[in-house]
Amino acid sequence: MTFNRRMFLGTSAVMAASLAAPMVRAQGKPRVIVIGGGAGGATAARYIAKDSKGEVDVTLIEPTRTYYTCFFSNLYLGDVKDIDDLGHSYGGLAAGGVNVVHDWAVGVDRDAKTVTLASGGSLAYDKLILSPGIDFVDGAVEGWDLTSQNAMPHAYKGGSQTELLKAQLKAMPEGGTFAMVAPPNPYRCPPGPYERVSMVAHYLKANNPTAKIIVADPKPKFSKMALFQEGWNNHYAGMIDWIGEDFGGGEVSVDPGAMTVTIDGEVTKVDVCNVIPAMKAGHIAEIAGVTDGNWAPVNAADMSSKADPDIHVLGDASQQGDMPKSGFSANSQAKVCANAVRGALTGSKVFPAKFSNTCWSLIDTNDGVKVGATYEATDEKIAKVDGFISQTGETADVRKATYEESEGWYAGITADMFGASV
Amino acid sequence: MRAFQYLMPFALVGLMALPSHADTGDAELGEKVFQQCKGCHQVGASAKNRIGPHLNGLFGRKAAGLEGFKYSKSFQRAGAGGLEWHADTLDVFLENPRAMTSGTRMSYRGLKDAQDRAHLIVYLRQFSDNPANIPEADPTAQAVDHDLDPAILALVGDPEYGEYLSGECTTCHQAAGGDDGIPSITLWPEDQFVVAMHAYKNKQRNHPVMQMIAGRLGDEEIAALAAYFKDLEN
């Protein structure tokens, strides 16, 4: 075969076209920007890219290169999982056609429909999906602010804070005291603080059995309370002192310098203090002007913001009705949102919203419990349809099966968020 | 035939309450039906585990509950989830083994005749504790027709709708077909998918998450999901 001039020109033209292709295509294609690469954002980006088969230009803005899940992070505290088990890269999303930009989104211009990046660039969108997770309410716990997070970690976002809390737990002196300041409703992962108490107790029982745990809680009751209290009695009798609202659990202040916690006027010196303050929508939602109070109200049918039909808010940051703030919920909302956004941009069929959630918690090795429900979209909110919860007194076989199921769920949801690992 | 006589009052109560039924079983006829089970299962005085587990003391036994028999993962999961063998669960299982446990190694297509199932259940019941001694013993002699309406099985699902609905499945069941504590549903034959989902919906399978999810899926939606997952390539 000879290499003639015509072929040469043809090849060059193809090469030139392929180099220019992303820009050329992007100008003609509808653009979706997703801010936040967690359970809501990663899922939405992946589903829009996957289902539109290249018809929609999808950009995901996420500052971290490795995402550490907040769900299952308690199992790392309890020595049940390694930190590496919780880390996920964005390679699978990029391979699936999502343009992944590792940067902070610092501004949203809703009139110009652009997002400003910390690095100075600006990106245009037709539809913007915000899935920024949570930030903390200033002044929620007296004596604590973000500058105290090294002395008294919140460990309520996955990654370095989780590792810091684990290091402090390991460094506790024999017979020391681990304190937790639990958050008021509504907050991310309702059973999370209590699973954390369980996993910390699990760690201490094995490594520091005379240590104590005190929990100051502004609430009179909490998610799966009967199940956790049964488990604490069964596995960690005498170790955990839960001080609820009725006993002054809401009257709490901390001193990160002196490492003291004051509960209802009583000062206690502690060795580790995990402060989980009151929460609000991730800051970018506030910057975009779609919050009302601490959260961003949305329409249940498609998760669109009540303030702007071209912005959708997913997961913990949204105020949607009856669903708990969980990774499972965010993933479920993301698929409804992805279907609606793709329909609006490409005319694809939009199916009615359907939501579901299940939260598994681990109390001790192979002692798993769960709570779940299904939801539907009404005019006012996402409304609960049906639900179930694990029962107290279940057999060890049932609890072990529940835990194994939670491991299956972890593998499932992370594959669903990030695509096949590469 | 003593066992048969004891069972009569229970069976009659059942007949009044249930919409579709077979007549009371006969243990002697059940023994003839059991001929087709004998290749794998033994029952009676000298019965041992063979290809299948022995069937002495079957009633009230947890699924996958015999020590020393290697059960399928699917059955172990069903047992851990609370499945026990009683007349009603046996009746569902015998009619279509895969309705109850998709991964069972029991290579038996099922006993479609409700009357034959009733005979077989009465026969097997004799090798468990005598019901006369157990006030709450199973009314074993009567079988109900659970078979799915053929119209439901004949529904042609819309895979595009199934793809959308599958989002609710893939939070737990990996689309790529991995199996790490939650079974794979990718490339599942369509009819088995439909039968299994209706078994959850009708609470013949006992997993609470799946009863909840399947409970609000309509016949068309189940057909759509089955149509989507049967061909899912990754």
Side-chain angles (χ1 to χ4, degrees), chain A residues 201-253:
Chain A
H202 175 74
Y203 175 86
L204 292 173
K205 187 179 174 183
N207 298 285
N208 191 350
T210 56
K212 297 280 182 229
I213 299 171
I214 53 173
V215 185
D217 203 326
K219 306 182 290 299
K221 58 190 173 66
F222 55 82
S223 172
K224 303 179 188 166
M225 185 165 176
L227 294 164
F228 280 114
Q229 292 189 329
E230 176 195 50
W232 294 349
N233 277 329
N234 286 345
H235 304 297
Y236 315 117
M239 185 181 267
I240 299 163
D241 185 11
W242 178 77
I243 302 165
E245 186 198 28
D246 302 348
F247 298 91
E251 301 300 314
V252 65
S253 65

Side-chain angles (χ1 to χ4, degrees), chain A residues 184-202:
Chain A
N185 290 320
Y187 61 96
R188 159 180 285 184
C189 190
Y194 312 98
E195 181 186 56
R196 175 169 297 174
V197 166
S198 307
M199 286 292 97
V200 166
H202 175 74

Side-chain angles (χ1 to χ4, degrees), chain B residues 47-108:
Chain B
K48 291 192 190 66
N49 289 335
R50 290 183 53 197
I51 295 168
H54 76 70
L55 300 175
N56 291 340
L58 179 63
F59 283 71
R61 182 200 289 172
K62 196 176 81 169
L66 270 189
E67 293 287 329
F69 185 79
K70 178 109 177 73
Y71 289 95
S72 65
K73 212 168 165 180
S74 188
F75 251 128
Q76 290 174 29
R77 196 180 284 123
L83 175 62
E84 281 187 5
W85 294 123
H86 296 284
D88 53 348
T89 50
L90 278 171
D91 188 47
V92 175
F93 180 66
L94 287 168
E95 182 184 22
N96 180 357
R98 280 166 208 285
M100 196 168 267
T101 50
S102 309
T104 179
R105 287 196 288 266
M106 186 160 111
S107 59
Y108 181 65

Side-chain angles (χ1 to χ4, degrees), chain B residues 1-78:
Chain B
M1 287 309 292
R2 281 182 59 92
F4 169 53
Q5 286 162 9
Y6 282 121
L7 290 166
M8 283 294 287
F10 294 102
L12 288 173
V13 170
L15 294 182
M16 288 184 285
L18 293 158
S20 161
H21 61 85
D23 289 339
T24 306
D26 178 321
E28 282 181 23
L29 293 172
E31 188 174 3
K32 292 202 174 82
V33 177
F34 188 71
Q35 295 298 323
Q36 48 182 310
C37 316
K38 279 170 89 172
C40 300
H41 294 281
Q42 295 187 345
V43 70
S46 59
K48 291 192 190 66
N49 289 335
R50 290 183 53 197
I51 295 168
H54 76 70
L55 300 175
N56 291 340
L58 179 63
F59 283 71
R61 182 200 289 172
K62 196 176 81 169
L66 270 189
E67 293 287 329
F69 185 79
K70 178 109 177 73
Y71 289 95
S72 65
K73 212 168 165 180
S74 188
F75 251 128
Q76 290 174 29
R77 196 180 284 123

Side-chain angles (χ1 to χ4, degrees), chain A residues 46-47 50-51 53 328 331-332 335-336 339 342 348-349 351-358 360 370 372-376 385-388 395 397-398 401 404-416, chain B residues 62 76-77 79-82 158-176 178-183 203 207-218 221 225 228 232 234:
Chain A
R46 192 171 89 84
Y47 270 71
K50 171 173 82 72
D51 294 340
K53 299 178 173 64
F328 197 126
N331 171 268
S332 173
K335 292 170 200 172
V336 169
N339 185 251
R342 181 165 64 95
S348 65
K349 206 162 162 185
F351 296 104
K354 247 183 191 200
F355 305 95
S356 55
N357 174 64
T358 301
W360 288 266
K370 60 184 168 182
T374 52
Y375 304 86
E376 65 186 5
V385 177
D386 188 19
F388 71 88
T395 64
D397 281 352
V398 170
E404 285 168 359
E405 187 178 281
S406 75
E407 291 199 293
W409 163 75
Y410 187 90
I413 192 173
T414 51
D416 203 35
Chain B
K62 196 176 81 169
Q76 290 174 29
R77 196 180 284 123
D158 169 7
E160 190 190 352
Y161 189 27
E163 180 172 21
Y164 168 67
L165 292 170
S166 76
E168 196 162 31
C169 313
T170 53
T171 303
C172 298
H173 298 275
Q174 296 173 48
D179 177 1
D180 305 285
I182 287 182
K203 304 204 187 305
H207 193 277
V209 178
M210 286 309 306
Q211 284 185 357
M212 180 181 83
I213 296 289
R216 66 165 178 169
L217 290 173
E221 291 174 319
L225 282 165
Y228 172 69
L232 181 59
N234 284 279

